[in-house]
């Protein structure tokens, strides 16, 4: 499903996550002065904050300078950038959920490490991770089928949990998209789960998925009537977050199959996303199949 890195690739991946940990406090420190909107939009048509552009530049410069990283790609840029020799490509959402900066709510940075050219897919993924800019500055990394969570407040990787695993009993659910825009199948699924679980949704994928990793449950950004592929991007959000949840013992789905099996045809391709405990992912797939 995903690739096993060679020893050389492992060394590059170590450096990628060390670099991300070093930059995380710097990015956090830059946020108070960069809460304002710029007059630009990103390739997905979203208005950029000055913080989005700053984080993207900082990450491109630092990750692009690592020996072995050949391509830097970002949700903030139209095309991947050739940054040197090497068979490793990094694809980033520099500040995922950055609209949460204005109300001072959590958001994150997501990274996918692929082998070879982009767009990459699950079968070319080597590792993935995210930084969560919450009350505590943490980095969660999935490698070799395992997930760790580290405190990176000092710029160093200080591991606080070396085996992140989804709790067996789900507790929370959270989902994006306007309710009138949901499909009949997704509305039926939410009807089923709302009696049993607690709604928790903050509007930043990283923070919302981290709640699922912490408490068990499901995060969905579903296919919508107006957007059959939903909102989230396969390269920068769907694949890396699916890998983390699957390595933590959960499942992922685009509605019918694991997000790690979705064919990547376009760089800024969108994908419906469901991440969480196995039983809930099975339930969302069967309810969607029965109604849509
Ligand atoms: O893709 C950016 C993002 O902010 C995600 O982090 C989040 O899950 C989603 O968009 C929130 O979208 P909405 O504002 O439609 O709930």
């Amino acid at each position: 499903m995903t690739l096993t890195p060679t020893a050389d690739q492992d060394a590059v991946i170590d450096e990628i996550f060390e670099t991300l940990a070093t930059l995380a406090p710097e990015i956090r420190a830059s946020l108070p002065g960069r809460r304002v909107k710029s007059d630009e939009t990103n390739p997905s048509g979203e208005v950029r904050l000055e913080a989005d552009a700053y984080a993207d530049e900082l990450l491109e410069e630092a990750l692009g300078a690592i020996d072995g990283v050949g391509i830097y790609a970002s949700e903030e840029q139209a095309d991947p950038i050739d940054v040197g020799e090497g068979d490793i490509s990094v694809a980033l959402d520099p500040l995922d959920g950055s609209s949460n900066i204005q109300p001072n709510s959590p958001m994150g940075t997501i990274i996918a490490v692929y082998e070879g050219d982009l767009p990459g897919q699950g079968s070319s993924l080597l590792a993935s991770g995210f930084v969560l800019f919450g009350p505590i500055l943490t980095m969660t990394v999935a490698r070799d089928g395992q997930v760790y969570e580290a405190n990176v407040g000092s710029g160093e990787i200080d591991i606080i949990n070396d085996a992140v695993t989804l709790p067996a009993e789900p507790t929370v659910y959270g989902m994006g998209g306007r309710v009138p825009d949901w499909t009949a199948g997704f509305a039926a699924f939410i009807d089923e789960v709302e009696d049993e679980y607690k709604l928790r949704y903050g509007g930043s994928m990283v923070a919302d998925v981290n709640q699922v990793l912490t408490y068990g449950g499901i995060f969905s950004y579903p296919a919508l009537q107006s957007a059959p592929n939903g909102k989230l991007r396969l390269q920068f959000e769907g694949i890396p977050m699916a890998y983390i949840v699957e390595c933590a013992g959960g499942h992922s789905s685009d509605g019918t199959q694991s997000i790690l099996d979705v064919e990547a045809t376009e760089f800024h391709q969108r994908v419906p996303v469901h991440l969480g405990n196995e039983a809930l992912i099975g339930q969302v797939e069967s309810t969607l199949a029965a109604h849509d």
Side-chain angles (χ1 to χ4, degrees):
M1 175 184 60
T2 47
L3 284 176
T4 305
T6 62
D8 283 352
Q9 288 174 329
D10 256 331
V12 179
I13 296 168
D14 283 344
E15 203 176 335
I16 288 171
F17 286 110
E18 282 158 16
T19 304
L20 196 56
T22 309
L23 294 182
E26 210 174 312
I27 293 174
R28 195 211 243 331
S30 79
L31 297 176
R34 293 188 170 81
R35 266 165 116 174
V36 290
K37 286 183 181 158
S38 70
D39 38 15
E40 295 161 17
T41 53
N42 70 16
S44 302
E46 291 151 359
V47 176
R48 296 198 335 157
L49 290 177
E50 285 182 9
D52 290 309
Y54 174 78
D56 187 30
E57 278 167 32
L58 200 67
L59 289 160
E60 179 186 334
E61 199 181 316
L63 296 171
I66 296 174
D67 270 353
V69 174
I71 293 174
Y72 173 89
S74 147
E75 190 234 300
E76 295 297 324
Q77 304 195 32
D79 298 302
I81 298 159
D82 195 336
V83 286
E85 300 284 308
D87 66 345
I88 289 192
S89 300
V90 290
L92 279 97
D93 190 347
L95 289 184
D96 182 73
S98 60
S99 62
N100 271 10
I101 299 174
Q102 285 177 296
N104 193 19
S105 296
M107 48 97 219
T109 295
I110 306 176
I111 183 166
V113 183
Y114 296 99
E115 180 182 275
D117 281 343
L118 299 178
Q121 40 208 12
S123 57
S124 59
L125 189 75
L126 295 164
S128 66
F130 63 76
V131 172
L132 175 54
F133 298 88
I136 307 163
L137 188 58
T138 56
M139 182 170 80
T140 297
V141 174
R143 285 178 76 169
D144 306 319
Q146 296 262 36
V147 183
Y148 71 76
E149 183 191 30
N151 188 333
V152 292
S154 67
E156 302 282 320
I157 300 177
D158 176 12
I159 295 188
I160 42 185
N161 182 355
D162 63 4
V164 175
T165 314
L166 249 77
E169 287 300 320
T171 314
V172 298
Y173 70 102
M175 67 281 140
R178 291 173 51 251
V179 178
D181 206 6
W182 289 351
T183 63
F186 191 69
F189 170 69
I190 294 300
D191 262 357
E192 290 168 14
V193 296
E194 62 191 2
D195 275 347
E196 269 187 81
Y197 309 112
K198 189 161 56 171
L199 172 62
R200 283 283 187 92
Y201 185 70
S204 147
M205 184 188 198
V206 167
D208 288 323
V209 171
N210 206 46
Q211 295 198 94
V212 171
L213 288 171
T214 309
Y215 297 126
I218 184 165
F219 164 82
S220 294
Y221 206 109
L224 299 172
Q225 292 175 50
S226 66
N229 291 320
K231 174 180 184 187
L232 303 178
R233 271 111 333 178
L234 181 65
Q235 258 339 249
F236 312 104
E237 296 167 311
I239 290 175
M241 297 303 275
Y243 183 58
I244 294 166
V245 171
E246 292 201 13
C247 290
H251 278 223
S252 75
S253 178
D254 69 347
T256 59
Q257 61 182 333
S258 163
I259 292 171
L260 299 179
D261 292 331
V262 173
E263 195 189 345
T265 52
E266 284 170 41
F267 187 54
H268 287 281
Q269 185 174 337
R270 295 176 193 262
V271 67
V273 170
H274 307 278
L275 304 173
N277 286 74
E278 178 177 1
L280 280 165
I281 299 300
Q283 188 179 343
V284 76
E285 285 185 342
S286 57
T287 310
L288 292 176
H291 292 81
D292 292 341

